[in-house]
């Protein structure tokens, strides 16, 4: 079962920042927060991930609260091509046990960027 | 382009038939994952292989099987196909060296299977 909660949908105006929230109140210390998106039946696309520090890359920023129970994905200047289903995923780190680090997807959140 | 290659992209077959989906992981990636996405079920994890051995099994039916070959490519075999098996099947790969956390998983573009 997915361990995250996201709103089912969100709208954003083109050119504005899109702030996508995610709750993961039961996250444990060795679990990462990952964000993926899926544009209309294409393969899920990796966006960003983090453990406890805020992260930024060329696509987005990830803000993780100090207690790690929630996070926000920020798309700084949303474009029409950012319209997609966004998945926030808590992923177990396999670590030295060699356990599976599979991704468990929930329903995600549909972001619609409007012109 | 994620570097994960899946073939075929589209496949139409009849009920009761058997098909094989193929996946080439990114260069250097040891783990291969298979996912199924149908309209009403979302993305479901099926199975993971790591360096030729099964590492994790999810909601994979007994009619389905997979393997990973010495060159690390993987095949997903679907047999006795039913209408409900119509779905997008994704392959993904990661380095997943074990003992190293946070390896990113990259997905291919999927294989569309239609069972008629």
């Amino acid at each position: 079962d997915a361990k995250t909660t996201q709103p089912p949908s969100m709208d954003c105006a083109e050119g504005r920042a899109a702030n996508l929230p995610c709750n993961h109140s039961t996250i444990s210390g060795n679990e990462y927060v990952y964000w993926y998106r899926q544009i209309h039946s294409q393969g899920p696309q990796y966006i960003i991930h983090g453990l406890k520090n805020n992260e930024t890359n060329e696509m987005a920023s990830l803000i993780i609260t100090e207690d790690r129970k929630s996070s926000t994905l920020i798309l700084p200047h949303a474009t029409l091509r950012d319209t997609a289903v966004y998945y926030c995923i808590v992923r177990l780190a396999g670590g030295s046990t060699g356990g599976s680090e599979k991704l468990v997807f929930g329903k995600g959140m549909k972001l619609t960027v409007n012109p | 382009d994620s570097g994960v290659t899946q073939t075929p992209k589209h496949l139409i077959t009849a009920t009761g038939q058997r098909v094989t989906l193929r996946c080439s992981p990114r260069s250097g990636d040891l783990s291969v994952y298979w996912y199924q996405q149908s309209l009403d079920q979302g993305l479901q994890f099926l199975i993971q292989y790591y360096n030729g051995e099964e590492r994790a099994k999810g909601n994979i039916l007994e009619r389905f099987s997979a393997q990973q070959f010495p060159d690390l490519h993987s095949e997903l075999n679907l047999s006795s196909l039913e209408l409900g098996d119509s779905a997008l099947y994704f392959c993904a790969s990661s380095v997943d060296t074990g003992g190293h956390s946070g390896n990113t998983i990259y997905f291919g573009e999927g294989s569309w299977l239609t069972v008629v």
Side-chain angles (χ1 to χ4, degrees):
Chain A
D1 289 339
K3 299 174 65 174
T4 63
T5 304
Q6 300 176 255
S9 63
M10 177 179 289
D11 283 7
C12 176
E14 189 177 19
R16 304 296 295 269
N19 297 298
L20 287 65
C22 180
N23 287 321
H24 31 79
S25 58
T26 61
I27 193 170
S28 59
N30 64 346
E31 289 179 318
Y32 286 74
V33 179
Y34 273 76
W35 283 84
Y36 281 76
R37 72 181 182 183
Q38 188 175 25
I39 299 172
H40 190 57
S41 298
Q42 296 179 18
Q45 179 187 24
Y46 165 77
I47 301 173
I48 198 167
H49 75 277
L51 185 61
K52 47 187 168 182
N53 298 321
N54 297 337
E55 302 289 343
T56 295
N57 62 21
E58 63 279 4
M59 288 183 69
S61 295
L62 175 60
I63 308 298
I64 302 174
T65 58
E66 193 169 340
D67 63 8
R68 301 187 69 236
K69 293 185 176 182
S70 65
S71 61
T72 301
L73 178 74
I74 301 173
L75 307 178
H77 304 287
T79 71
L80 299 179
R81 290 179 297 179
D82 292 322
T83 293
V85 177
Y86 286 77
Y87 297 95
C88 170
I89 301 166
V90 165
R91 181 189 183 197
L92 177 67
S96 59
T97 63
S100 175
E101 298 182 6
K102 64 182 182 291
L103 294 167
V104 178
F105 287 83
K107 295 185 187 301
M109 187 200 79
K110 176 67 183 294
L111 173 70
T112 302
V113 180
N114 300 304
Chain B
D1 182 8
S2 67
V4 179
T5 304
Q6 292 187 245
T7 57
K9 288 186 170 33
H10 299 274
L11 189 57
I12 301 174
T13 191
T15 54
Q17 294 298 304
R18 170 191 171 97
V19 299
T20 297
L21 308 180
R22 181 188 168 99
C23 171
S24 295
R26 296 185 333 142
S27 176
D29 283 1
L30 299 177
S31 263
V32 169
Y33 307 76
W34 286 97
Y35 286 80
Q36 180 193 54
Q37 186 173 34
S38 53
L39 282 175
D40 56 349
Q41 291 292 329
L43 275 155
Q44 298 288 316
F45 169 72
L46 295 178
I47 198 165
Q48 177 198 1
Y49 277 81
Y50 172 74
N51 204 20
E53 295 190 2
E54 182 182 307
R55 173 164 278 185
K57 186 176 278 193
N59 301 319
I60 188 166
L61 300 171
E62 286 193 8
R63 299 183 285 108
F64 296 179
S65 65
Q67 54 184 325
Q68 185 179 28
F69 295 87
D71 67 353
L72 300 177
H73 91 272
S74 178
E75 293 180 356
L76 178 67
N77 300 297
L78 315 174
S79 62
S80 302
L81 285 167
E82 302 174 359
L83 296 178
D85 298 327
S86 296
L88 250 179
Y89 291 85
F90 288 108
C91 172
S93 73
S94 69
V95 172
D96 196 5
T97 54
H100 178 272
S101 302
N103 290 317
T104 300
I105 296 178
Y106 294 92
F107 285 77
E109 288 305 309
S111 292
W112 274 101
L113 173 65
T114 302
V115 183
V116 297

